[in-house]
């Protein structure tokens, strides 16, 4: 016999109190994201197209083209949770405060910034991250191993990918987490570790002198571009009947913005004044195209040459890489192995 789902009736006062939840506090405590005040908005450092208005209730996530008036809209429009279930989470059963309850705006206090710490590494080999990046994302195995060797990529205890950025003294200052799951509930999980400094976001420096930097929204797109450079270089070498340089992908500077703001780019250009040419490889969507326009206008006015390189297939360079892999497999009559893990516990962020 099926057990009836418990229904809790909340008063209008309780519902209104839930609607008054401080969204900045909610995002910081629940998601681990941080915000800076710019004019009448609070801008998320980890997802710069996400902003909260000065009332700290209304929010907009421009790159996803979604927004709302309060926390209930967040649960309904982003988390896919129905109104009653959202109230159960926010208010808590029997009106008992839970770990999912958050401050109302009148009680909001500044949050003390925690020190930056890298998440613990998994014990043993990084098999899950290696398989995810090479099979699900199509990234070249030598490039993945290079990142492991350089300590700019590793697998944490929850089997997530951790992309690391270092300062001039080779001290880690930035870390971006990306789930290695293909499960719908977790595959979009991506966030920066608390107190990460975007000035040192994930990047790869060229092993030769170059005045160009290729700029991406995320580390996986950056590594996809590396892989495509290597693959296309090999194809061209075969066509021309010459020796192939397997390290050709290392001849370019590449930078991940970890979003669409130019915080990382501005800091990168100050560290490396030899860069004169900015090659924008952002996502071909609303948020990416808006960022391209703003960055192009700003840095062209500063004297930089700015070029735009959209992926020739799909939204981003990983879409382009996966399509390339499938096209090559079809020509060679090969089957691409599907990669799928559904162990929910592995990918829980908290």
């Amino acid at each position: 016999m099926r057990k009836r789902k418990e229904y809790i009736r909340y008063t209008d006062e309780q519902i209104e109190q839930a609607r008054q939840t401080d969204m900045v506090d909610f995002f910081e405590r629940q998601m681990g994201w941080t915000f800076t005040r710019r004019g009448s908005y609070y801008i998320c450092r980890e997802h710069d197209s996400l902003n909260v208005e000065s009332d700290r209730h209304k929010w907009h996530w421009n790159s996803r083209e979604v927004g709302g008036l309060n926390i209930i809209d967040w649960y309904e429009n982003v988390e896919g949770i129905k109104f009653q279930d959202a109230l159960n989470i926010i208010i808590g059963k029997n009106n008992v405060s839970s770990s999912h309850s958050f401050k109302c705006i009148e009680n909001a206090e500044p949050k003390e910034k925690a020190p930056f710490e890298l998440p613990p590494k998994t014990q043993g080999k990084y098999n899950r991250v290696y398989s995810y990046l090479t099979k699900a994302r199509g990234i070249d195995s030598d490039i993945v191993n290079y990142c492991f060797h350089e300590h700019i990529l590793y697998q944490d205890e929850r089997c997530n990918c951790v992309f690391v950025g270092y300062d001039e003294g080779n001290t880690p200052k930035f870390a971006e987490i990306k789930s290695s799951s293909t499960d719908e509930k977790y595959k979009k999980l991506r966030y920066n570790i608390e107190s990460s400094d975007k000035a040192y976001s994930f990047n790869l420096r060229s092993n030769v002198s170059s005045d160009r930097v290729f700029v991406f929204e995320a580390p996986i797109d950056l590594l996809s571009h590396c892989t495509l450079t290597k693959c296309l270089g090999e194809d061209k070498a075969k066509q021309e009947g010459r020796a192939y340089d397997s390290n050709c992908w290392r001849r370019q500077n590449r930078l991940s913005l970890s979003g669409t703001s130019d915080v990382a780019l501005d800091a990168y250009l100050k560290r490396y004044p030899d860069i004169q040419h900015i090659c924008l490889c952002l996502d071909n969507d609303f948020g990416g195209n808006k960022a391209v326009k703003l960055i192009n206008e700003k840095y062209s006015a500063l004297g930089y040459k700015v070029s735009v390189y959209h992926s020739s297939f799909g939204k981003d360079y990983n879409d382009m890489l996966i399509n390339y892999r499938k096209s090559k497999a079809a020509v060679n009559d090969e089957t691409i192995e599907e990669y799928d893990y559904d162990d929910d516990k592995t990918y829980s962020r908290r």
Side-chain angles (χ1 to χ4, degrees), residues 189-208:
L189 176 65
R190 192 185 89 184
Y191 63 97
N192 294 352
I193 291 297
E194 187 173 4
S195 301
S196 285
D197 186 348
K198 264 196 177 183
Y200 298 101
S201 64
F202 182 80
N203 68 92
L204 288 174
R205 287 287 290 167
S206 170
N207 63 351
V208 297

Side-chain angles (χ1 to χ4, degrees), residues 111-127:
K111 181 186 176 185
E112 185 177 348
K113 191 173 182 180
F116 173 77
E117 291 184 6
L118 288 174
K121 298 179 181 179
T122 190
Q123 297 297 316
K125 297 182 179 179
Y126 304 152
N127 292 341

Side-chain angles (χ1 to χ4, degrees), residues 21-28 33-44 47-62 68-71 74 105:
T21 297
D22 182 344
M23 290 302 293
V24 174
D25 181 68
F26 166 74
F27 287 133
E28 289 184 338
W33 299 336
T34 55
F35 286 78
T36 56
R37 184 71 182 262
R38 293 185 194 169
S40 60
Y41 290 94
Y42 295 89
I43 308 298
C44 181
H47 301 280
D48 41 69
S49 66
L50 171 63
N51 56 72
V52 179
E53 293 190 17
S54 58
D55 64 5
R56 297 171 75 106
H57 300 154
K58 292 189 284 292
W59 55 273
H60 313 271
W61 201 335
N62 296 320
L69 300 177
N70 49 57
I71 191 173
W74 172 270
I105 182 64

Side-chain angles (χ1 to χ4, degrees), residues 43 64 78 119 138 218 253 258 297:
I43 308 298
R64 296 193 180 188
V78 178
N253 299 300
S258 188
E297 290 175 353

Side-chain angles (χ1 to χ4, degrees), residues 162-309:
V162 183
F163 298 95
V164 186
Y166 294 82
D167 66 10
E168 295 87 342
N170 205 33
T171 300
K173 293 291 186 180
F174 172 90
E176 179 173 330
I177 302 293
K178 175 69 183 75
S179 171
S180 63
S181 173
T182 54
D183 185 278
E184 287 294 330
K185 291 186 292 183
Y186 300 106
K187 71 179 185 180
K188 292 184 179 180
L189 176 65
R190 192 185 89 184
Y191 63 97
N192 294 352
I193 291 297
E194 187 173 4
S195 301
S196 285
D197 186 348
K198 264 196 177 183
Y200 298 101
S201 64
F202 182 80
N203 68 92
L204 288 174
R205 287 287 290 167
S206 170
N207 63 351
V208 297
S209 178
S210 174
D211 68 347
R212 294 198 298 177
V213 59
F214 287 81
V215 181
F216 306 85
E217 288 188 30
I220 285 181
D221 290 321
L222 185 156
L223 297 179
S224 297
H225 185 269
C226 292
T227 302
L228 283 164
T229 301
K230 183 176 180 180
C231 292
L232 296 174
E234 184 176 14
D235 291 345
K236 187 174 182 180
K238 286 180 179 179
Q239 292 173 1
E240 297 176 355
R242 56 178 173 79
Y244 163 60
D245 179 9
S246 61
N247 286 317
C248 60
W249 62 275
R250 295 191 59 199
R251 295 176 186 166
Q252 300 295 346
N253 299 300
R254 295 179 176 89
L255 170 69
S256 167
L257 299 179
S258 188
T260 55
S261 83
D262 71 330
V263 173
L265 177 60
D266 185 63
Y268 187 90
L269 295 174
K270 289 175 180 176
R271 288 200 304 274
Y272 304 109
D274 54 316
I275 300 296
Q276 297 298 318
H277 187 180
I278 301 169
C279 304
L280 297 176
C281 305
L282 307 190
D283 293 0
N284 191 11
D285 59 11
F286 177 81
N289 291 328
K290 181 179 178 181
V292 164
K293 182 176 183 295
L294 294 174
I295 293 173
N296 189 5
E297 290 175 353
K298 176 178 178 178
Y299 290 93
S300 294
L302 293 174
Y304 290 94
K305 178 180 179 181
V306 181
S307 303
V308 179
Y309 295 92

